[in-house]
């Protein structure tokens, strides 16, 4: 049967629209893929001076873009690309809340990195702990609807703390179901909220039911500037610390090597686990890095028993480098000092 010309035209238009939709219409999913590897000489200055020493320290990132049908199919058949839901990406936060969270994580990470670098370089500084930023509130928390993303918790039961570690230690020393009063700043106004502690699903210990990060202010005669732009999250902490330390001391520990890595940093100088390390290894490898520092985190035995396939960041990084047949040296670190020790032996 011969189709009429107008029917053919309609079919062609419909096919064209279907193809266009497959290519450009966004889906309620996201693609995680290797992001940029960024030379920290471009982002960090100390006392207004640029880093002109040989070699480089670089942060690595995971690229996030909204999926289309075409990108989703491509991700299925491409190494180091994963399809995730919006819930997995944001944890249920709105786009505005998610972006604010990433900003707070970055701010906290920068201050912790400056503190560790100055401490290791024996430079004076003052770190003021303002409280903890509320990053999210669990729906089963008795503070849901009372605390909001961006609030700063300054006291619990009238007690102040010197770090988020102290804050969490106090909360976990209480009892599930116990009533606590939280003092917090909301839009600059001090408020209070009271509620019972819940049993956390992560460690079965008492908790308020929030995720948090340090709200700190650091000052020093050493003027450290970090211009991270739109980069968010806490995972550049280790590499920030190494770049700042190298500039403050003038030690040039890199010895001409291109060094990348990842890992959070806390007030004790410990390097913490991050997500998407396989993609960061792929990014660093593509950028021609010589060395990659990976968090050598210790997995909780109970979690390992429940998820036997789970690997440490170092193990994940090694597996990714092997898959890439990379010549890049993967170096495990538990602390900033581990990284410095490796660099000093290298030199």
């Amino acid at each position: 049967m011969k189709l009429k010309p107008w029917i053919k035209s309609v079919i062609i238009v419909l096919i064209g629209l279907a193809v266009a939709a497959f290519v450009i219409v966004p889906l309620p999913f996201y693609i995680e893929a290797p992001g940029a590897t960024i030379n920290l000489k471009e982002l960090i200055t100390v006392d207004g001076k640029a880093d002109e020493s040989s070699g480089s320290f670089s942060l690595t990132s995971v690229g996030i873009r909204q999926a289309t049908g075409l990108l989703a199919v491509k991700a299925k058949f491409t190494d180091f690309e994963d399809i995730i839901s919006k819930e997995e990406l944001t944890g249920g936060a709105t786009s505005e809340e998610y972006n604010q969270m990433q900003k707070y994580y970055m701010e906290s990470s920068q201050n912790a990195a400056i503190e560790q670098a100055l401490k290791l370089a024996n430079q004076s500084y003052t770190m003021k702990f303002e409280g903890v930023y509320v990053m999210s509130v669990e729906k089963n928390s008795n503070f849901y609807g009372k605390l909001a993303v961006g609030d700063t918790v300054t006291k619990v039961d009238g007690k102040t703390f010197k770090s988020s570690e102290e804050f969490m230690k106090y909360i976990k020393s209480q009892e599930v179901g116990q009533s606590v009063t939280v003092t917090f700043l909301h839009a600059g106004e001090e408020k209070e909220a009271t509620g019972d502690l819940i049993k956390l699903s992560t460690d079965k210990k008492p908790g308020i039911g929030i995720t948090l990060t340090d709200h700190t202010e650091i000052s020093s005669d050493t003027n450290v500037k970090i211009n991270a732009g739109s980069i968010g999250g806490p995972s550049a902490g280790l590499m920030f610390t190494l770049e700042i330390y190298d500039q403050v001391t003038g030690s040039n520990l890199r010895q001409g090597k291109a060094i990348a890595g990842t890992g959070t940093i806390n007030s004790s100088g410990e390097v913490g686990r991050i997500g998407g390390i396989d993609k960061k290894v792929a990014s660093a490898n593509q950028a021609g890095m010589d060395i990659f520092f990976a968090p050598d985190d210790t997995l909780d035995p109970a979690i390992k028993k429940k998820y036997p396939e789970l690997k440490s960041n170092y193990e994940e990084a090694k597996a990714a480098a092997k898959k890439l047949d990379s010549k890049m040296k993967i170096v495990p670190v538990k602390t900033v000092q581990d990284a410095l020790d490796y660099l000093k032996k290298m030199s």
Side-chain angles (χ1 to χ4, degrees):
M1 175 179 161
K2 190 174 181 180
L3 295 176
K4 295 180 180 180
W6 70 270
I7 296 179
K8 286 185 179 180
S9 298
V10 169
I11 292 173
I12 291 171
V13 169
L14 290 175
I15 291 173
L17 289 173
V19 171
F22 183 71
V23 173
I24 65 173
V25 173
L27 301 174
F29 296 95
Y30 291 82
I31 307 295
E32 284 188 335
T37 291
I38 302 172
N39 189 334
L40 290 177
K41 290 180 182 180
E42 301 171 9
L43 307 184
I44 298 175
T45 58
V46 173
D47 293 330
K49 299 176 182 177
D51 180 355
E52 297 179 351
S53 300
S54 62
S56 61
F57 286 123
S58 295
L59 66 79
T60 50
S61 64
V62 176
I64 305 288
R65 61 191 302 189
Q66 191 153 17
T68 63
L70 178 63
L71 292 177
V73 171
K74 174 181 173 291
K76 282 288 187 181
F77 297 97
T78 303
D79 289 336
F80 307 109
E81 290 194 10
D82 293 311
I83 304 169
I84 60 171
S85 67
K86 184 175 182 179
E87 176 73 22
E88 290 172 309
L89 176 65
T90 67
T94 65
S95 296
E96 183 179 336
E97 288 174 337
Y98 176 74
N99 291 333
Q100 190 68 58
M101 287 163 58
Q102 296 308 302
K103 176 185 173 184
Y104 287 147
Y105 275 134
M106 174 55 76
E107 177 188 306
S108 178
S109 175
Q110 289 179 2
N111 287 345
I114 294 170
E115 178 189 25
Q116 289 305 310
L118 294 179
K119 183 189 294 184
L120 290 164
N122 295 314
Q123 299 288 317
S124 62
Y125 66 91
T126 300
M127 175 70 94
K128 187 178 180 182
F129 180 73
E130 303 282 2
V132 296
Y133 280 125
V134 176
M135 310 299 282
S136 66
V137 185
E138 294 180 20
K139 290 185 177 180
N140 66 330
S141 168
N142 291 308
F143 289 85
Y144 187 79
K146 300 176 183 179
L147 293 173
V149 173
D151 288 347
T152 297
V153 175
T154 57
K155 301 176 187 176
V156 179
D157 295 334
K159 300 178 186 295
T160 58
F161 307 92
K162 295 180 180 179
S163 67
S164 57
E165 287 90 349
E166 270 192 23
F167 171 86
M168 290 186 289
K169 184 177 180 180
Y170 173 77
I171 294 295
K172 291 180 185 297
S173 70
Q174 307 308 302
E175 300 290 333
V176 172
Q178 180 177 330
S179 179
V180 296
T181 298
V182 170
T183 305
F184 62 99
L185 295 175
H186 178 82
E189 182 182 353
E190 185 173 86
K191 297 187 174 185
E192 285 189 349
T194 299
D196 295 345
L197 298 177
I198 62 172
K199 181 186 287 189
L200 300 179
S201 59
T202 50
D203 59 8
K204 310 304 180 186
K205 296 289 181 65
I208 294 174
I210 60 173
T211 55
L212 54 87
T213 192
D214 287 348
H215 180 178
T216 56
E217 297 289 342
I218 189 166
S219 58
S220 171
D221 291 337
T222 304
N223 186 15
V224 179
K225 293 290 186 184
I226 304 176
N227 181 19
S230 61
I231 302 169
S235 65
L238 169 63
M239 301 313 295
F240 281 157
T241 306
L242 295 176
E243 174 66 28
I244 296 166
Y245 177 87
D246 215 41
Q247 289 194 42
V248 168
T249 61
S251 52
N252 190 20
L253 292 172
R254 299 179 299 243
Q255 295 295 304
K257 298 286 188 182
I259 303 169
T262 190
T264 63
I265 202 76
N266 67 11
S267 59
S268 300
E270 297 169 332
V271 178
R273 182 182 180 88
I274 56 90
I277 195 168
D278 58 330
K279 298 162 188 66
K280 295 186 176 186
V281 169
S283 172
N285 181 67
Q286 186 174 6
M289 297 291 106
D290 300 307
I291 295 167
F292 187 97
F293 286 124
D296 188 18
D297 54 306
T298 302
L299 298 174
D300 184 287
I303 294 176
K304 183 67 176 176
K305 184 177 180 180
K306 188 174 181 179
Y307 304 101
E309 74 284 358
L310 194 63
K311 297 178 180 178
S312 70
N313 267 176
Y314 172 59
E315 291 171 330
E316 290 177 322
K318 286 281 287 183
K322 184 177 180 181
K323 191 170 187 177
L324 289 160
D325 194 25
S326 175
K327 295 179 181 178
M328 186 168 59
K329 174 73 172 176
I330 308 295
V331 178
V333 289
K334 290 186 179 296
T335 64
V336 177
Q337 191 61 56
D338 286 347
L340 292 177
D341 290 344
Y342 178 87
L343 293 169
K344 288 172 182 177
K345 288 177 183 177
M346 181 182 75
S347 62

